[in-house]
Amino acid sequence: MINVSLKTLLDISLEAGREILNVYERDYFVETKGDGSPLTAADQRSHQAIIAGLQNVYGEIPILSEEGRKIPYAKRKDWSVFFLVDPLDGTKEFIKKNGEFTVNIALIEGGYPVMGVIYVPVLDTFYFGKTDLGAFKLEGASRMNPADDKALIEQSMQLPSTAPSDIVKVIASRSHMSEETEAFIEELRNDHTVNVLAGSSLKFCLVAEGKADYYPRYAPTMEWDTAAGQAIVEAAGGTMSRYEDNERFYYNRENLKNGWFFVKR
């Protein structure tokens, strides 16, 4: 695995979070992208902060970001390692001002996420995971200011941190609940007490943390929506699999739109 510092990714995420909150706390204009999804100055300012931060330290590693998605497959298909970035995951939640939006950065090697970080600006909480290291949660991330990776891990809580319970907790998208997801939840209710939770990439974090058991996503997403979350869930001992064949999710496909998937702790 290429040597990437979690502390560096924390610093970059914090800078992106500050840019997002600067927009969040004032009036802003909402544009509509070509695919119909919303775009704000916060998306763009976070993207610029992340790209500048990553290129400054890891200039040799290519970057695929939601706000810089127009890299042709012919150019990226041979990437053995790259960063996959969502500068503002949950733009709809950002616009609703419910706080459920995140900064996502993943390191992909050989088509799979080996490191992922998710920062929740409103909560000032940093989730991170790395293959063979584990998954962790740092609350009050901007105040803690760990000196290096060792200090970051020592100051963080290892995940999962919640013991199993008799209640099955299903997490689903607040803005994208599909009929198939509702049917899955209703089937579970035949034999279990089910609590339904919600969030953006927070859904992955809650599974990693042990606060949710399942995250079924039977609706479209994009690669940058899921890579960091998958890395954290897998580092915490969970799984993310493709709906159609139950295989592990992989990245840098020609079509960057994800198929359906299922996450469980």
Side-chain angles (χ1 to χ4, degrees):
M1 183 187 302
I2 193 166
N3 186 24
V4 171
S5 165
L6 287 162
K7 159 64 173 171
T8 297
L9 296 188
L10 168 62
D11 291 341
I12 293 170
S13 299
L14 291 175
E15 179 59 29
R18 284 189 285 269
E19 293 291 347
I20 290 170
L21 291 179
N22 283 339
V23 178
Y24 189 64
E25 293 164 357
R26 60 177 174 79
D27 293 332
Y28 51 85
F29 179 71
V30 180
E31 301 177 44
T32 302
K33 292 189 280 191
D35 61 1
S37 59
L39 175 69
T40 71
D43 298 81
Q44 298 165 320
R45 288 170 61 167
S46 177
H47 167 79
Q48 292 164 1
I50 294 170
I51 298 303
L54 290 176
Q55 289 181 338
N56 182 54
V57 184
Y58 304 109
E60 75 282 7
I61 302 178
I63 304 167
L64 179 61
S65 170
E66 177 177 11
E67 305 311 328
R69 65 176 77 182
K70 295 181 180 179
I71 300 173
Y73 183 63
K75 181 176 180 179
R76 58 180 172 82
K77 66 182 179 67
D78 295 323
W79 288 354
S80 60
V81 57
F82 67 99
F83 289 110
L84 185 52
V85 174
D86 193 342
L88 176 50
D89 183 51
T91 302
K92 290 182 179 179
E93 313 307 330
F94 175 90
I95 294 168
K96 294 174 184 175
K97 290 190 176 292
N98 64 20
E100 294 180 353
F101 50 86
T102 61
V103 174
N104 302 352
I105 304 173
L107 179 68
I108 310 295
E109 285 191 17
Y112 295 97
V114 295
M115 178 187 293
V117 304
I118 293 177
Y119 179 57
V120 192
V122 168
L123 300 179
D124 194 22
T125 298
F126 184 66
Y127 294 86
F128 60 99
K130 182 179 180 182
T131 301
D132 299 329
L133 175 67
F136 301 84
K137 174 184 180 181
L138 178 66
E139 297 181 295
S142 64
R143 302 189 306 273
M144 299 298 283
N145 193 28
D148 51 28
D149 283 15
K150 184 173 183 288
L152 171 59
I153 292 167
E154 289 174 348
Q155 294 174 17
S156 301
M157 176 188 300
Q158 186 154 17
L159 305 179
S161 58
T162 303
S165 73
D166 295 332
I167 298 176
V168 176
K169 299 175 287 292
V170 182
I171 194 159
S173 174
R174 189 185 302 278
S175 302
H176 304 280
M177 178 80 78
S178 68
E179 292 181 4
E180 291 83 0
T181 304
E182 292 176 348
F184 170 81
I185 293 169
E186 288 308 310
E187 184 175 349
L188 275 179
R189 283 197 170 108
N190 292 332
D191 300 303
H192 304 278
T193 301
V194 178
N195 287 349
V196 180
L197 310 170
S200 55
S201 282
L202 281 167
K203 296 184 286 292
F204 290 97
C205 299
L206 293 176
V207 172
E209 198 168 351
K211 292 182 177 179
D213 298 294
Y214 302 122
Y215 167 28
R217 182 59 185 247
Y218 303 153
T221 56
M222 302 298 291
E223 288 196 4
W224 42 77
D225 294 322
T226 60
Q230 179 177 348
I232 294 169
V233 165
E234 291 179 345
T239 61
M240 176 176 169
S241 56
R242 298 186 302 193
Y243 175 83
E244 65 270 23
D245 57 12
N246 208 35
E247 292 294 320
R248 186 183 178 199
F249 228 65
Y250 69 96
Y251 293 85
N252 202 21
R253 303 180 304 273
E254 182 170 7
N255 184 346
L256 294 169
K257 182 179 288 187
N258 290 332
W260 293 4
F261 61 81
F262 187 75
V263 179
K264 65 179 179 179
R265 61 177 294 192

